[in-house]
Amino acid sequence: MASGPAPSTAIKASAKAQSRAPRAALRSGPTSRMKNAMLEAVSLVLEKLLFMSNFKFFSSGAPGEDKAGNTLYEINSFLRGDVLEVPRTHLTHYGIYLGDNRVAHMMPDILLALTEDRGLTQKVVSNKRLILGVICRVASIRVDTVEDFAYGAEILVNHLDRSLKKKALLNEEVAQRAEKLLGITPYSLLWNNCEHFVTYCSFVRM
């Protein structure tokens, strides 16, 4: 049997709680809204600081420009569903390998907020488009070639498994999750970025 207060005591406690509830709601309403506004403001400030600290990374050259043409990747060594990581000075870019030289990854892109012309938005994201996309918090989970995804940098494969010390889902399930998420998505340096995307695809069990 479950233990607990005597019925009369429980009823009194419930009545007292109900009598206090309206007053508590009146007190907590504006306070709760104020706290939410403060959290949003703090989050925005942190995102701006993080963006500024990594501005050199965002300004160091767009994907698909000069660097990409100088690097050859062992594409045959990648398996569908592998997590690909491109380490940079201050952060790492992540994607999911889909096979056939295709990588699904989240990329900020201001052009997504300006046009629905897929002929324009499917072109490799330029440096300016990326920076403005970060500022305006708009991105897409898109598919690019391995070369355009890595833009000349070294690629690590499934390194996130060891970093998180977790066992990833089966590769095919990872790839299918990534494919289902393709399209426009909100972007946040703190709360919704490329690492969150691959972490969900690879590790979150439903």
Side-chain angles (χ1 to χ4, degrees), residues 19-183:
S19 67
R20 288 196 300 266
R23 293 197 295 271
L26 288 173
R27 289 197 302 269
S28 64
T31 304
S32 177
R33 287 194 295 270
M34 186 178 296
K35 285 181 179 179
N36 288 337
M38 289 178 64
L39 286 173
E40 288 182 9
V42 170
S43 175
L44 183 60
V45 169
L46 287 174
E47 284 199 30
K48 297 302 181 187
L49 290 174
L50 184 59
F51 173 73
M52 293 304 295
S53 69
N54 292 294
F55 185 77
K56 180 177 275 189
F57 162 74
F58 290 118
S59 303
S60 61
E65 292 183 353
D66 296 339
K67 295 180 182 178
N70 299 326
T71 305
L72 296 176
Y73 296 102
E74 296 293 332
I75 296 174
N76 291 335
S77 66
F78 302 152
L79 299 177
R80 177 173 162 84
D82 279 348
V83 174
L84 305 186
E85 308 173 34
V86 178
R88 312 298 286 184
T89 303
H90 297 293
L91 47 80
T92 301
H93 189 50
Y94 296 87
I96 304 291
Y97 188 64
L98 301 179
D100 299 324
N101 194 24
R102 298 174 301 132
V103 183
H105 61 130
M106 184 184 292
M107 280 291 288
D109 184 4
I110 186 61
L111 202 56
L112 298 167
L114 303 177
T115 180
E116 295 181 359
D117 187 340
R118 291 180 59 84
L120 294 175
T121 57
Q122 283 301 305
K123 292 181 179 178
V124 175
V125 179
S126 69
N127 191 44
K128 290 180 180 178
R129 284 167 57 185
L130 186 150
I131 291 174
L132 292 174
V134 171
I135 294 172
C136 296
R137 299 183 175 188
V138 60
S140 70
I141 296 169
R142 54 180 286 146
V143 175
D144 284 307
T145 65
V146 170
E147 292 78 10
D148 289 341
F149 163 75
Y151 41 95
E154 175 191 10
I155 295 179
L156 302 178
V157 182
N158 296 324
H159 185 70
L160 195 60
D161 299 21
R162 296 187 290 275
S163 300
L164 297 178
K165 297 181 180 179
K166 290 185 177 181
K167 182 176 176 59
L169 300 171
L170 296 177
N171 274 39
E172 183 58 30
E173 183 175 355
V174 173
Q176 288 181 12
R177 281 192 179 189
E179 290 169 336
K180 288 179 181 178
L181 292 173
L182 294 177

Side-chain angles (χ1 to χ4, degrees), residues 43-44 46-47 187-193 196:
S43 175
L44 183 60
L46 287 174
E47 284 199 30
Y187 183 82
S188 167
L189 279 171
L190 291 176
W191 313 118
N192 191 40
N193 58 40
H196 296 109

